[in-house]
């Protein structure tokens, strides 16, 4: 059966960095906000004997090599012999360099679930999406989400703190040089700071959970920045730099804006693009301060994975 699902991206306030075991079992719990549909992936899947091999079309481009292999390996979890056709489109601006694996594997997991009529619960879907990409386990749920171990769970839904915003500043549109998978492994093997990070992360998680439950932007923003800085310090210790000069310039602007009280946080994943977390009322001030950096994508807390009858083929 042909099935279609849509999932949104998410931004981690407390980052997943490092694996305890195969299948993306994380070293530490992580907390994220699911973004709205400005950053989403829609995917249609059909398993059928009429396909003599897997076919994966992403944003109108037929994928081969590593991207196809990763998707095929994921489909192996479901298939009973048949190959499949997968068509995906991202709402992300083309070549924005924004990671799409979270929304991509969350949408793919759900589309496979429906296509094979497995009727999985969200917990099962989250555990499955996790196998494609760790952060995808969180995109199954709307709003504020915590992932530890096998699967993620919702902390709060998308209307709970709807004034919260994520402004994505596109700094570089290139693909990342070192995959998060390789960088995580090197960090775990070689970074001394990483051992400290893991020892202390439960405290950070507790502060972030509390800040969300109190809707306290100032405490939340302070911990988000410390957490992003900490992850990147571990990564830089082993000689990998994801942030570039523009990323550092954005950090400085946000630090200056916060000098009379914290109103916004910067946070960076495995790349130079900045995510600025703030509230609706501070948006104009922050947009003004960042106007020189070109296109800004503003997102609210958004929906979890959902199904659509409008197939892509
Ligand atoms: O889901 P992956 O394997 O691409 O790893 C994501 C890692 C970070 O984006 C840096 C952090 C996170 O928790 O999303």
């Amino acid at each position: 059966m042909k099935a279609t699902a849509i999932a949104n991206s998410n931004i981690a306030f407390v980052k997943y960095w490092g694996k305890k075991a195969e299948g993306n079992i994380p070293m530490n719990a992580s907390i994220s906000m699911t973004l709205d549909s400005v950053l989403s992936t829609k995917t249609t899947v059909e398993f059928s004997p009429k396909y003599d091999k897997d076919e994966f079309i992403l944003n109108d481009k037929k994928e081969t090599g590593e991207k196809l292999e990763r998707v095929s390996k994921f489909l192996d979890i479901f298939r009973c012999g048949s190959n499949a056709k997968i068509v995906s489109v991202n709402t992300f601006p083309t070549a924005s360099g924004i990671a799409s694996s979270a929304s991509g594997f969350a949408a793919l997991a759900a589309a496979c679930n429906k296509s094979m009529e497995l009727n999985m619960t969200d917990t099962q879907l989250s555990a499955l999406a996790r196998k494609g990409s760790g952060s995808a386990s969180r995109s199954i749920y709307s709003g504020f989400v915590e992932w530890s171990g096998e699967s993620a769970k919702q902390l709060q839904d998308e209307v709970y703190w709807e004034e919260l915003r994520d402004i994505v500043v596109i700094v570089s549109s290139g693909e990342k040089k070192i995959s998060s998978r390789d960088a995580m492994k090197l960090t775990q093997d070689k970074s001394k700071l990483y051992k400290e990070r893991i020892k202390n992360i439960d405290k950070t998680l507790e502060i972030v959970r509390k800040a969300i439950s109190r809707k306290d932007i100032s405490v939340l923003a302070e911990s988000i920045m410390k957490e992003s800085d900490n992850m990147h310090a571990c990564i830089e210790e082993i000689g990998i730099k994801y942030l570039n000069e523009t990323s550092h310039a954005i950090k400085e602007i946000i630090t200056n804006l916060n000098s009379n009280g914290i109103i916004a946080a910067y946070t960076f994943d495995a790349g130079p693009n900045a995510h600025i977390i703030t509230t609706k009322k501070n948006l104009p001030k922050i947009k003004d301060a960042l106007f020189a950096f070109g296109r800004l994508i503003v997102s609210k807390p958004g929906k979890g994975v959902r199904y659509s009858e409008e197939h892509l083929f």
Side-chain angles (χ1 to χ4, degrees):
M1 184 175 106
K2 211 180 265 186
T4 299
I6 303 165
N8 300 355
S9 186
N10 68 75
I11 179 66
F13 296 166
V14 181
K15 314 277 188 197
Y16 151 55
W17 198 256
K19 302 177 208 287
K20 218 177 244 173
E22 279 296 303
N24 300 335
I25 299 296
M27 281 295 286
N28 62 279
S30 54
I31 296 178
S32 61
M33 177 173 102
T34 300
L35 303 176
D36 67 26
S37 310
V38 290
L39 296 163
S40 71
T41 303
K42 181 176 184 179
T43 295
T44 301
V45 174
E46 183 181 40
F47 289 92
S48 165
K50 72 183 174 202
Y51 301 118
D52 47 354
K53 54 184 172 17
D54 289 336
E55 214 181 293
F56 176 36
I57 297 158
L58 175 61
N59 296 331
D60 294 325
K61 183 175 163 258
K62 194 166 178 171
E63 295 290 353
T64 53
E66 246 173 66
K67 277 193 185 145
L68 174 66
E69 269 166 41
R70 196 165 166 199
V71 165
S72 279
K73 205 174 144 206
F74 186 77
L75 296 186
D76 289 344
I77 306 171
F78 297 89
R79 71 175 111 226
C80 325
S82 290
N83 292 310
K85 180 171 177 178
I86 309 107
V87 177
S88 275
V89 286
N90 290 331
T91 57
F92 299 27
T94 321
S96 63
I98 302 178
S100 54
S101 66
S103 55
F105 279 101
L108 184 60
C112 289
N113 170 48
K114 185 147 186 229
S115 165
M116 307 288 270
E117 296 174 305
L118 299 172
N119 289 318
M120 286 186 180
T121 61
D122 281 352
T123 309
Q124 289 170 321
L125 260 186
S126 170
L128 195 69
R130 184 204 79 229
K131 295 186 180 174
S133 168
S135 54
S137 65
R138 300 185 306 239
S139 274
I140 299 298
Y141 299 94
S142 67
F144 300 86
V145 182
E146 177 161 349
W147 164 38
S148 63
E150 300 271 332
S151 57
K153 64 176 198 299
Q154 186 180 62
L155 296 175
Q156 297 289 351
D157 68 15
E158 76 276 26
V159 292
Y160 165 76
W161 194 358
E162 57 184 351
E163 305 81 23
L164 212 62
R165 295 290 182 275
D166 177 18
I167 310 168
V168 187
V169 192
I170 314 272
V171 169
S172 159
S173 54
E175 297 244 338
K176 57 186 160 213
K177 282 181 249 112
I178 302 162
S179 70
S180 45
R181 167 182 292 265
D182 293 346
M184 273 183 206
K185 173 128 195 15
L186 281 168
T187 315
Q188 279 183 265
D189 291 349
K190 295 195 173 148
S191 162
K192 293 197 183 75
L193 281 177
Y194 183 75
K195 291 192 177 66
E196 286 304 306
R197 168 179 172 77
I198 295 300
K199 259 192 233 158
N200 295 320
I201 204 129
D202 282 345
K203 282 183 223 144
T204 310
L205 286 157
E206 194 45 40
I207 296 168
V208 168
R209 272 184 220 114
K210 237 188 217 154
I212 293 172
S213 78
R214 294 181 178 160
K215 300 187 188 170
D216 186 334
I217 183 63
S218 146
V219 172
L220 181 66
E222 189 181 5
S223 343
I224 288 175
M225 289 186 284
K226 276 195 191 151
E227 163 54 15
S228 173
D229 287 345
N230 177 262
M231 182 183 83
H232 287 281
C234 298
I235 298 170
E236 288 183 10
E237 192 190 341
I238 54 152
I240 300 171
K241 275 198 167 86
Y242 282 121
L243 273 58
N244 65 19
E245 268 177 34
T246 314
S247 322
H248 285 287
I250 294 168
K251 270 179 73 165
E252 212 176 299
I253 289 172
I254 299 300
T255 307
N256 288 339
L257 275 172
N258 284 336
S259 56
N260 297 319
I262 300 178
I263 57 165
Y266 56 76
T267 181
F268 299 86
D269 284 338
N273 293 325
H275 287 254
I276 310 300
I277 311 298
T278 189
T279 50
K280 188 179 168 188
K281 81 165 195 256
N282 291 306
L283 260 186
K285 205 191 263 183
I286 291 162
K287 277 182 164 174
D288 277 355
L290 295 173
F291 93 104
F293 295 95
R295 179 140 184 222
L296 307 175
I297 302 167
V298 181
S299 174
K300 294 182 198 177
K303 288 201 172 85
V305 77
R306 59 256 182 223
Y307 297 99
S308 164
E309 291 308 316
E310 285 166 29
H311 305 308
L312 292 168
F313 64 95

